[in-house]
């Protein structure tokens, strides 16, 4: 894949994201790969200039949690199984700069509509516990994954995620657009 922007390794499978070409699933043991083409823009019916920015593992919801946005199916044969007790083990959140789609990591099937639409144009995404953290140029959006609702918005300038480990995220940002120095922050969820 040309122009790879991010790589994720999950359950012995490699997912490579390219902003223009989409996402490729590569099984290093068998050498097989599957390319997921760019998704339609959030709110549009055509393939648009959305840029893939990465994929993240979907955390498991609490038992009997029926508020989850990804407990439904749109097609019988799309790989989405509502009766599976550990259904989230099969899914990733595949993110473009404008939305997140639930992706079956084995079949590469997605729902027609995104499960979460972003307010800002994300440059990077991370998952910490039950939260999806989006880094845009001027804000950090923290969303609850199962409901899609915004939990917190942190404003800033030239925001960049530097490191993610367990429940800690290290990022840099400037307080004003005229700052010459970026400050390093730690976000703990």
């Amino acid at each position: 894949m040309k122009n790879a922007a991010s790589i994720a390794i999950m359950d012995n499978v490699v997912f490579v994201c390219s902003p223009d070409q989409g996402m490729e699933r590569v099984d290093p043991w068998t050498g097989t790969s599957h390319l997921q083409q760019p998704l339609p823009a959030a709110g549009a019916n055509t393939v648009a200039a959305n840029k893939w920015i990465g994929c993240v593992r979907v955390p498991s919801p609490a038992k009997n949690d029926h508020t989850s946005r990804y407990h439904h199916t749109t097609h019988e044969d799309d790989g989405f199984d509502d009766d599976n007790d550990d259904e989230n083990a099969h899914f990733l959140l595949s993110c473009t700069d404008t939305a997140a789609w639930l992706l079956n990591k084995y079949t590469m099937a997605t729902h027609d509509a995104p499960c979460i639409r972003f307010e800002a144009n994300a440059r990077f995404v991370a998952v910490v516990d039950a939260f999806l953290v989006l880094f845009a140029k001027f804000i950090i959006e923290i969303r609850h994954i199962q409901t899609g609702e915004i939990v917190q918005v942190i404003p800033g300038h030239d925001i960049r995620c530097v490191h993610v480990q367990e429940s800690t995220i290290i990022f840099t940002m400037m307080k004003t657009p005229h700052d010459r120095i970026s400050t390093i922050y730690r976000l703990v969820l």
Side-chain angles (χ1 to χ4, degrees), residues 37-56:
Q37 296 299 319
L39 295 166
N45 293 328
T46 60
V47 174
N50 279 2
K51 295 186 189 257
W52 289 77
I53 58 172
C55 61
V56 290

Side-chain angles (χ1 to χ4, degrees), residues 94-146:
S94 176
C95 300
T96 65
D97 55 347
T98 59
W101 277 262
L102 195 63
L103 175 75
N104 182 309
K105 67 183 177 185
Y106 299 109
T107 65
M108 298 294 281
T110 60
H111 287 290
D112 294 335
C115 59
I116 301 173
R117 296 183 200 287
F118 308 151
E119 297 297 321
N121 282 334
R123 294 163 59 176
F124 182 81
V125 292
V127 168
V128 176
D129 296 326
F131 302 100
L132 180 64
V133 183
L134 313 162
F135 290 87
K137 188 166 177 105
F138 300 109
I139 67 166
I140 298 172
E141 252 181 63
I142 302 172
R143 292 182 169 269
H144 193 273
I145 291 176
Q146 293 184 6

Side-chain angles (χ1 to χ4, degrees), residues 56-89:
V56 290
R57 185 182 305 272
V58 176
S60 296
K63 287 290 184 189
N64 300 323
D65 180 3
H66 299 292
T67 62
S68 173
R69 297 176 66 95
Y70 46 87
H71 277 266
H72 66 282
T73 182
T74 56
H75 304 291
E76 285 292 323
D77 61 348
D78 66 356
F80 293 89
D81 181 7
D82 290 332
D83 297 327
N84 185 351
D85 289 339
D86 191 21
E87 69 181 53
N88 295 336

